[in-house]
Amino acid sequence: MNKPFFLSMLLGLCCFCLSHALAQDMQNYSFVHINNENGLSQSNVKAIIQDSYGFMWFGTKNGLNRYDGNKVKVYKSECSPNNSQGINSIFSLCLAPDSTLWMGAQGILCYDTQGDSLRQVQIKTVEGRSPKGMILLFSAVADATVKNKAIGRN
């Protein structure tokens, strides 16, 4: 048997085995499209994050949505006299090292695991005023505190 023929046969056998193994592995995956029809509160998703429990969290213009692989649960903040709608329009999500889920909206929200609800976090600027506008981005640091700088837009 000549060497090139043997190498090409060996390469062909390896390719066949690899493609067969990949094809079997691909059969174990399924994809589900989540939209308004199956529970998502709004189809315009602004932020997505996955927590350590495997829940997928979606920030939308109409609240926070948690997908557990089967169904969607919608969370909305209690309306306040100053802000009746904008607080539920979520633009960013941040998962802190202690697994606290933070949201940037027309202010900052936090997911309360004990009450399975959202709570608004009151923040003040250095001058003591409440910031106005959307909180578009913020991040958590290793000691599980939210950095004191948030990027906002008036």
Side-chain angles (χ1 to χ4, degrees):
M1 211 188 263
N2 65 13
K3 193 172 183 178
F5 177 74
F6 177 73
L7 288 176
S8 64
M9 290 299 288
L10 184 61
L11 181 63
L13 181 62
C14 288
C15 289
F16 174 76
C17 290
L18 182 62
S19 66
H20 184 67
L22 289 175
Q24 283 183 334
D25 194 36
M26 293 292 272
Q27 293 173 0
N28 295 329
Y29 294 106
S30 65
F31 295 92
V32 176
H33 294 275
I34 305 168
N35 55 31
N36 301 45
E37 294 172 6
N38 52 11
L40 199 63
S41 65
Q42 215 267 342
S43 62
N44 191 347
V45 175
K46 297 291 186 181
I48 302 172
I49 200 164
Q50 184 175 18
D51 67 13
S52 60
Y53 298 105
F55 292 125
M56 295 295 299
W57 297 88
F58 302 94
T60 72
K61 287 186 170 185
N62 194 20
L64 179 70
N65 296 252
R66 183 184 73 191
Y67 181 64
D68 64 5
N70 294 310
K71 62 184 181 304
V72 177
K73 182 171 183 179
V74 178
Y75 297 88
K76 292 187 180 183
S77 175
E78 295 292 321
C79 295
S80 67
N82 299 347
N83 203 338
S84 61
Q85 182 182 6
I87 201 70
N88 285 310
S89 187
I90 297 169
F91 296 96
S92 62
L93 296 172
C94 177
L95 194 59
D98 69 349
S99 297
T100 302
L101 181 63
W102 297 92
M103 289 140 271
Q106 294 283 36
I108 294 181
L109 296 170
C110 178
Y111 172 68
D112 177 14
T113 56
Q114 300 295 326
D116 192 32
S117 61
L118 300 184
R119 68 178 166 87
Q120 188 172 359
V121 178
Q122 298 300 321
I123 57 172
K124 301 281 183 190
T125 64
V126 176
E127 296 84 21
R129 295 189 303 255
S130 294
K132 295 181 180 175
M134 298 174 282
I135 306 297
L136 298 176
L137 174 71
F138 60 95
S139 62
V141 293
D143 66 356
T145 59
V146 174
K147 285 185 180 179
N148 61 359
K149 295 181 181 178
I151 299 172
R153 183 174 74 196
N154 288 333

